[in-house]
Amino acid sequence: MREKLDRLEHFVNGLRGSGVEVPATHAEVRIASISEPQAGPQDRLANLAGKLRLSETGSTQFIGPSHWEAIIEDLADVKGYFDLEDDPATADDDEALLQSESNVPTMDINFGLMQTYSKQQLLDMLPTKPIMNRLLAAWFNAMDPLRLIVHAPTFQAEYQRFWQQPDLVSTSWLALLYSIGSLGAEVSGESCNDPVTLALAEDMRRLTVHALVACDYAALPPYAVEALLLHIKSSLLKHIDVTRELYLRLGLLTRLCTLAGYHRDPSNNPEISPFKAEMRRRIWWFASKYDILMCYQLGQLSVINQVIVDTAPPSNLSESDLTLAVIPPAKPLTEQTSITTALVFGDLTAIFGEVVYSSYSTLGTAGRDVARLHARLEQARNDRPPQLRMVTLEHSLLEPPELIIGRYILEALHLKSVCILYRRYLGLEGHLKERRHCLNAAEQLVLHQNTLLEAGQPGGLLPQADLWLRRFIHDFIFAAMLLCLQFKTFHATESGTTEHFDSGVRLLLQYACRLWSRIMVTSPKARHALRAIERFVGQEMPCIDAADTTLLRDRSALGFDSSNDHRHHAGSFVSASLVDRVESNAQLVPNAAVPGSLPTMTNDSMSTPLDDPPGLDDIALDGTMHDWDPLFQDLFGAPYHTADDSGDCLGLNG
């Protein structure tokens, strides 16, 4: 055995040399002929980068090139020596026996469960088939692209077999079923504001966790990664925010994905069928993008950008194009399928991740990167397929709502990227061009959201769009904070020269706040920030009538650069919509009795004032309201106190 290990060392050292091929033994040739048929130079390089295993149970495992198992598999004699040793499963059984003899309950470090339900108990607690049918249909018909990580026709066939023989299903598949059911219940409960359905969604979320722990998710059984990703999505729909718990589970998801080799393209292992390979690419695509976006929302750096990845993007194919037998060639992006928008969004998200990463660098080293990233953002916008390029809402009335909203999603991510890229220049002397880039993007982001919020109102062009929009309250808060910060800076340094900026931006943000207040923002922190912005823009707001609507028509009066080539896409339409509302009844009247309150819009199409939703101030927030005082004091001034409702204590009147 020692001689064989010496030969192995000599062989590896030869590979590190000048590139001269070392003659292989007969055993090595036999192994290569089995695992690497007709391997070319690229295939040899791929295998040097690690191996992707497929077990008999369907789980996968990635072994990096530095791991001893990646080398030992190439030597049949040495591998046979280890095969003579005790079966690894025996060691696992011994460890399980030792644990069973302890009186201390076992604990899952990620989910904290000391006791899980058995498979039979999970089956007994499953809702009836008619209820499950309704919940599954609600999710698979939702406008969320994450549904595409589960192939609907294949899942439907598995679902039908499940009801015929429930006992034969795996616990990991039960976890997938519960996660999809929780998503369907959350979507259904939001649409009709049904507390019973929302309570069912919470129960199914908890049962998903029980099923994941019961199936030993760390062993990566089939469907475990999909179930965990959908579970994270279900929790996001509930909280409309990234909690610390979700952030930790996101880290668990990324670790499981790399452990299972999702970051390596499935073509590296010929045992993985083309259908499974395509679904693995979809799972990695969405998991990596969620990692970038969720980490940004929590103010953390994504680790997914540091992973060496060679996984190809998913193919532009619809669900009906994917079969277990043959996968057709990908369609061009100009042909819209169910995943086209997600593919374009994913490419833009990768650039967004680099933008967020660059925002941590200092101004002295960031200039070249900022220009390069801005050029990439503009190029990505220009490279969008024609059907996903931004057009006004009035020019897309006959198109599917999913396509319309997809355009706004892409444009919003582009604008947010520009805001983050140039945010560092606000408040600095000089850098006028950079500040204009940031403020133009922030203004456009608010305008786009106003358009969708108007369209989502009863009788609007996109009914129930507000249920989807409320997830993007954080984008509005980010853009509004930038505009408020710039207004505060101008007001402090150039008093008397920014009247147009003052009135125009305040009018825009006031109207946006009133629209957001109608859709019942559920995130406590977002509600708190929305209230702070309302108070800030509501101070000493002059009465604006039809004579002042030129502020909205002439966008340059807002103090921004009106030469951006994308302003005509939506800004003119949204501005006109807001102008029409002002002119139709001629006046926005501020409530002088309560300092900081928002004006009431009296319009025939909105006879009901745009009041705040009932109980917005009375809804219990997570934690003490003073926990967020430093955040708003940094923007609005040291005397600002969020817990004080009196205008005299806000410190905003001068």
Side-chain angles (χ1 to χ4, degrees), residues 415-444:
L415 295 172
K416 186 165 64 172
S417 301
V418 174
C419 288
I420 296 172
L421 194 60
Y422 290 102
R423 157 71 179 87
R424 71 192 80 198
Y425 296 102
L426 294 185
L428 296 179
E429 294 184 3
H431 301 289
L432 178 61
K433 181 180 178 181
E434 288 80 3
R435 290 203 304 272
R436 284 180 173 176
H437 279 310
C438 180
L439 298 175
N440 285 339
E443 179 202 9
Q444 284 295 306

Side-chain angles (χ1 to χ4, degrees), residues 290-473:
Y290 267 65
D291 183 82
I292 293 173
L293 295 172
M294 289 176 63
C295 287
Y296 157 75
Q297 189 167 320
L298 198 62
Q300 302 296 318
L301 280 174
S302 169
V303 299
I304 213 74
N305 283 346
Q306 311 304 318
V307 177
I308 300 176
V309 179
D310 68 350
T311 303
S315 300
N316 186 33
L317 296 171
S318 297
E319 298 287 85
S320 57
D321 298 323
L322 298 176
T323 63
L324 297 176
V326 180
I327 303 297
K331 299 176 181 178
L333 290 179
T334 53
E335 185 173 346
Q336 187 73 16
T337 69
S338 55
I339 201 174
T340 305
T341 304
L343 292 176
V344 179
F345 183 83
D347 290 335
L348 184 56
T349 302
I351 306 176
F352 174 80
E354 295 185 40
V355 168
V356 174
Y357 192 84
S358 73
S359 67
Y360 285 79
S361 59
T362 61
L363 283 175
T365 61
R368 183 176 302 176
D369 288 340
V370 167
R372 176 181 59 84
L373 288 171
H374 192 196
R376 289 184 61 190
L377 287 171
E378 292 300 321
Q379 186 62 44
R381 172 192 271 171
N382 296 332
D383 290 343
R384 290 182 205 167
Q387 75 275 13
L388 291 176
R389 293 176 184 169
M390 197 65 195
V391 296
T392 61
L393 191 59
E394 62 181 354
H395 288 97
S396 53
L397 301 179
L398 303 181
E399 294 178 315
E402 191 169 2
L403 180 61
I404 298 173
I405 292 178
R407 291 172 183 156
Y408 279 91
I409 290 177
L410 293 171
E411 188 66 14
L413 185 58
H414 171 89
L415 295 172
K416 186 165 64 172
S417 301
V418 174
C419 288
I420 296 172
L421 194 60
Y422 290 102
R423 157 71 179 87
R424 71 192 80 198
Y425 296 102
L426 294 185
L428 296 179
E429 294 184 3
H431 301 289
L432 178 61
K433 181 180 178 181
E434 288 80 3
R435 290 203 304 272
R436 284 180 173 176
H437 279 310
C438 180
L439 298 175
N440 285 339
E443 179 202 9
Q444 284 295 306
L445 187 56
V446 175
L447 288 169
H448 286 322
Q449 291 188 339
N450 283 357
T451 300
L452 291 179
L453 287 168
E454 288 178 339
Q457 294 175 8
L461 300 176
L462 295 173
Q464 293 187 338
D466 55 346
L467 297 175
W468 167 84
L469 260 179
R470 69 177 61 175
R471 309 172 196 173
F472 295 87
I473 177 63

Side-chain angles (χ1 to χ4, degrees), residues 502-512 541 544 552 578 588:
D502 184 345
S503 300
V505 170
R506 287 197 176 197
L507 174 62
L508 179 66
L509 293 181
Q510 278 189 321
Y511 184 55
M541 183 64 193
I544 298 180
L552 299 173
L578 185 53
L588 287 170

